[in-house]
């Protein structure tokens, strides 16, 4: 260690580290600790009575069974869809891979409530698109997606990119020598796939499945828009219905329910760990040139099939959403006489609640992005270049609110801020600032990951030279370190903004009158019967997402590999 380290800037370094410890404890540990205290802490007979009442209620276990059914079914669909696309992109010579990857990952970037809304406009007797084409079922026919099957299908499509990303990353490190040895021994492509490649990819497939399962368990938007109309309740929608009906009076009950959601999610991650411990999947062969199968005459067929799937899961539902946004009333066919931009004029210039929701979402997403970018740079410095047991613990603390379902974090925030803050006497419950607090906790890891990746690729020589020259810690951080990681930090900020701008799961439980967000607005408009207005807002939200993804793509040449999910 350089002796100058302790005397030149040591106080500034320790002070900044202490500030980050306090910040992480406030936004990550405090809400989770408060939730656990409310749900399981010994509180005498009243507390036990609440616990017994929730756990003995039939609605609890019906919602739990539905959650498990839809999450497991959705995970199976995600594994199939994401796995096939990852194998095609990573191991074959199909063309236009960047465009294919971008389109396949877009459903992950589109908020689940908008995904559900677009698919809902595609089917059913009132679908403007089907009525225009003369394919709508008879009036009064049940909507096929308002069902357990509809919820399961869309959960699988929404989270298939998670499996794709995990498997593609694993295939990039696949030892080519083992595959070539199997082929030299006479094994065909399919036998190599099932006896060599997939067994080696078991860890990443299990990890992708676990991510898909946990995301499905905590998903609110899809079960809310498709499940509630059908009376199909999962745990997140049960929590929402209880809290919206009875308010803070049932906070102890929903705290128990949210802990149950968290336990199921944790169980999925624990099962992942147990499966991987049963066998050693490590390969001792060095990674060499990337494997690439030439499909020959089958390439056009594979490309056609891939783009057909993209059309079915992305393009056609979005076309249905646009069609609904352009008609005068839901159920009216789209024609020269019914087409109108009035819905866009209404939501952009006339409805106060719509303008307020856009403004609230912009302020919340912008503030969260700016604050988290400011935190991510220095915090990434400590996590990568100042490794210690404390800092490893801080990294886990930062990941916690993102790893758990959003509904768990929302209930935890309500518990923390239900009463005015001590000493200050200021209450955040029912204000916009409780949503901002939740966003800071929820999306910290999104801002942190690109910055951490950048630090791992930086050489410390410049910073160490400045230290030897007598520059104090804060000056080294300001003049040398932070400018080097600025592009990655900016990418993290855009990821935070893009995710927070349309977020629903957290804000659905935290919003109040006058504090609506864009995600809440889409849900409320559709729930209130204003489907054409909800579709117009959703189309604008999708356009915003595409623009933000394009901005991120402009930063791609200056970013570490792997920061952008749709990158090469």
């Amino acid at each position: 260690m350089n002796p100058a380290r302790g005397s030149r800037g040591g106080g500034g370094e320790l002070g900044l580290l202490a500030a980050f410890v306090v910040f992480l404890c406030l936004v990550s540990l405090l809400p989770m600790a408060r939730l656990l205290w409310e749900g399981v802490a010994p509180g005498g007979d009243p507390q036990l009575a609440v616990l017994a009442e929730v756990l003995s209620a039939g609605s609890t276990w019906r919602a739990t069974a539905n959650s498990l059914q839809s999450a497991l079914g959705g995970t199976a669909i995600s594994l199939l869809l994401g796995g096939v696309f990852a194998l095609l992109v990573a191991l074959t010579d199909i063309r236009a891979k960047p465009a294919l990857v971008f389109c396949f990952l877009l459903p992950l970037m589109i908020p689940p409530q908008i995904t559900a809304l677009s698919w809902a406009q595609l089917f059913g007797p009132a679908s403007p698109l089907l009525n225009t084409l003369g394919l709508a079922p008879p009036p009064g026919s049940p909507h096929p997606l308002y069902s357990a099957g509809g919820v399961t299908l869309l959960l699988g499509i929404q989270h298939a990119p998670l499996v794709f990303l995990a498997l593609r990353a694993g295939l990039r490190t696949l030892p080519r020598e083992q595959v070539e040895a199997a082929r030299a021994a006479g094994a065909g492509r399919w036998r190599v796939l099932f006896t060599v490649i997939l067994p080696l990819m078991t860890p990443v497939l299990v990890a992708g499945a676990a991510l898909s399962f946990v995301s499905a368990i905590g998903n609110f938007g899809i079960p809310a828009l498709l499940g509630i109309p059908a009376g199909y309740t999962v745990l997140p929608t049960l929590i929402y219905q209880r809290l919206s009906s009875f308010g803070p009076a049932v906070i102890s009950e929903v705290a128990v329910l949210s802990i149950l959601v968290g336990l199921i999610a944790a169980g999925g991650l624990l099962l992942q760990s147990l499966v991987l411990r049963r066998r050693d999947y490590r390969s001792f062969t060095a990674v060499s040139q990337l494997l690439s199968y030439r499909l020959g005459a089958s390439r056009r067929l594979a490309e056609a099939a891939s783009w057909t799937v993209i059309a079915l899961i992305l393009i056609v539902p979005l076309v249905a959403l646009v069609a609904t946004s352009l008609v005068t009333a839901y159920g009216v066919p789209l024609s020269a006489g019914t087409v109108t931009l009035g819905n866009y004029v209404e939501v952009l210039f006339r409805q106060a609640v719509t303008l307020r929701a856009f403004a609230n979402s912009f302020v919340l997403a912008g503030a969260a992005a700016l604050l988290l970018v400011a935190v991510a740079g220095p915090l990434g410095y400590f996590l990568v270049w100042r490794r210690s047991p404390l800092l490893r613990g801080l990294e886990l603390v930062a990941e916690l609110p993102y790893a758990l379902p959003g509904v768990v974090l929302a209930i935890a925030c309500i518990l923390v801020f239900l009463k005015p803050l001590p000493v200050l006497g200021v209450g955040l419950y029912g204000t916009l600032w409780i949503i901002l607090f939740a966003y800071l906790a929820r999306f910290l890891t999104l801002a942190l990951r690109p910055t951490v990746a950048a630090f791992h690729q930086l050489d410390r020589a410049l910073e160490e030279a400045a230290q030897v020259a007598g520059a104090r810690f804060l000056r080294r951080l300001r003049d040398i370190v932070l400018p080097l990681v600025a592009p990655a930090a900016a990418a993290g900020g855009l990821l935070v903004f893009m995710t927070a701008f349309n977020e629903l799961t957290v804000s659905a439980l935290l919003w109040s009158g006058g504090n609506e967000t864009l995600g809440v607005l889409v849900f409320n408009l559709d729930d209130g019967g204003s489907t054409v207005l909800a579709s117009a807002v959703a189309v604008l939200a999708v356009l915003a997402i595409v623009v933000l993804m394009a901005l991120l793509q402009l930063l791609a040449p200056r970013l570490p590999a792997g920061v952008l999910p749709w990158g090469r």
Side-chain angles (χ1 to χ4, degrees):
M1 180 185 296
N2 192 308
R5 179 177 170 181
S7 60
R8 292 174 180 166
E13 183 173 349
L14 290 176
L16 191 59
L17 178 58
F20 284 132
V21 171
V22 172
F23 174 79
L24 288 173
C25 287
L26 286 176
V27 301
S28 297
L29 284 184
L30 177 61
M32 297 301 115
R34 182 64 183 88
L35 177 64
L36 288 174
W37 181 263
E38 183 72 23
V40 301
D45 293 339
Q47 192 76 12
L48 293 175
V50 170
L51 186 64
E53 180 183 355
V54 172
L55 296 181
S56 62
S59 60
T60 299
W61 299 112
R62 281 193 298 274
T64 301
N66 291 341
S67 291
L68 290 171
Q69 176 194 35
S70 59
L72 289 171
T75 300
I77 294 171
S78 296
L79 275 172
L80 177 62
L81 192 58
V84 169
F85 264 78
L87 291 171
L88 281 173
V89 168
L91 297 183
T92 72
D93 62 343
I94 61 171
R95 294 164 293 188
K97 288 183 182 181
L100 187 66
V101 171
F102 184 91
C103 291
F104 187 74
L105 292 183
L106 194 55
L108 183 64
M109 305 299 168
I110 295 175
Q113 71 274 14
I114 293 179
T115 297
L117 183 64
S118 64
W119 279 79
Q121 310 317 310
L122 181 58
F123 296 98
S127 168
L129 181 62
L130 293 186
N131 276 290
T132 301
L133 299 174
L135 300 175
S141 302
H143 197 298
L145 291 184
Y146 290 160
S147 63
V151 172
T152 302
L153 173 65
L154 290 202
L155 288 176
I157 293 173
Q158 182 86 23
H159 302 132
L162 296 174
V163 176
F164 171 87
L165 291 170
L167 182 55
R168 185 182 64 163
L171 290 170
R172 286 174 168 175
T173 64
L174 178 68
R176 179 170 180 161
E177 287 77 5
Q178 297 188 31
V179 176
E180 296 295 349
R183 295 176 68 178
R189 290 180 178 179
W190 291 106
R191 187 172 182 183
V192 170
L193 175 65
F194 287 106
T195 62
V196 179
I197 296 176
L198 290 183
L200 286 173
M201 292 297 103
T202 298
V204 293
L205 282 171
V206 172
L211 284 172
S212 176
F213 176 80
V214 170
S215 299
I217 281 290
N219 192 295
F220 173 77
I222 290 172
L225 267 75
L226 300 183
I228 290 178
Y232 183 78
T233 305
V234 296
L235 284 170
T237 55
L238 178 62
I239 291 172
Y240 168 78
Q241 290 173 321
R242 294 286 293 166
L243 198 59
S244 61
S245 298
F246 301 102
V250 294
I251 192 64
S252 294
E253 297 176 27
V254 296
V256 174
L257 289 171
S258 64
I259 290 175
L260 182 58
V261 175
L263 288 175
I264 294 173
L269 297 176
L270 178 61
L271 183 61
Q272 169 197 351
S273 178
L274 292 176
V275 168
L276 296 181
R277 284 182 184 177
R278 295 178 61 185
R279 180 178 168 186
D280 189 354
Y281 294 96
R282 291 176 296 176
S283 173
F284 297 96
T285 306
V287 179
S288 59
Q289 182 182 357
L290 291 177
L291 185 68
S292 180
Y293 284 113
R294 295 187 178 276
L295 296 180
S298 301
R299 184 169 73 172
R300 289 186 178 180
L301 179 61
E303 291 170 347
S306 299
W307 284 107
T308 299
V309 172
I310 293 296
L312 291 175
I313 67 174
L314 176 66
I315 298 173
V316 174
L318 289 179
V319 168
L321 186 69
V322 173
T324 303
S325 73
L326 292 174
V327 295
T328 53
Y330 187 48
V332 175
L334 183 63
S335 66
T338 60
V339 67
T340 178
L341 294 176
N343 298 319
Y344 292 95
V345 174
E346 182 73 18
V347 299
L348 286 174
F349 303 110
R350 294 177 183 166
Q351 287 212 356
V353 63
T354 305
L355 298 175
R356 187 167 61 241
F358 270 100
N360 287 342
S361 289
F362 186 85
V363 168
L364 288 169
L370 290 174
L371 290 172
L372 291 178
V373 165
V375 169
L379 184 56
Y381 173 91
F382 288 118
L383 294 178
V384 179
W385 287 357
R386 294 286 189 268
R387 300 297 293 172
S388 71
L390 170 63
L391 292 170
R392 283 193 291 271
L394 286 180
E395 192 168 10
L396 293 176
V397 169
E399 295 273 356
L400 183 62
Y402 191 74
L404 290 173
V407 66
V408 177
L409 175 64
I411 297 300
C413 290
I414 292 174
L415 288 167
V416 170
F417 297 112
L418 189 58
K419 297 178 180 179
L421 296 174
V423 181
L424 298 177
V426 177
L428 296 187
Y429 181 70
T431 71
L432 206 61
W433 309 117
I434 189 174
I435 303 177
L436 177 59
F437 179 90
Y439 284 1
L440 292 177
R442 180 75 170 165
F443 302 128
L444 172 59
T445 188
L446 287 182
L448 197 55
R449 285 175 182 172
T451 309
V452 166
F455 273 111
H456 277 297
Q457 295 186 8
L458 285 180
D459 189 345
R460 292 193 59 190
L462 284 176
E463 194 245 352
E464 290 174 342
Q467 183 178 0
V468 170
R472 294 182 178 273
F473 170 73
L474 293 178
R475 185 173 181 182
R476 299 197 309 270
L477 198 65
R478 183 194 66 193
D479 294 344
I480 297 175
V481 176
L482 294 183
L484 291 174
V485 298
L494 284 173
L495 285 172
V496 170
F497 187 92
M498 184 167 60
T499 308
F501 190 66
N502 293 290
E503 194 279 333
L504 175 64
T505 304
V506 172
S507 51
L509 298 179
L510 299 180
W511 77 280
S512 57
N515 298 316
E516 303 89 347
T517 63
L518 201 55
V520 170
L521 176 66
V522 172
F523 175 67
N524 286 347
L525 285 173
D526 183 66
D527 190 49
S530 300
T531 305
V532 292
L533 298 182
S535 299
V537 176
V539 169
L540 293 172
V542 172
L543 289 175
I545 291 167
V546 173
V547 169
L548 289 171
M549 291 177 73
L551 289 175
L552 281 168
Q553 189 61 38
L554 292 177
L555 284 173
R558 302 185 63 189
L559 297 177
V563 166
L564 298 184
W566 56 89
R568 290 181 178 273

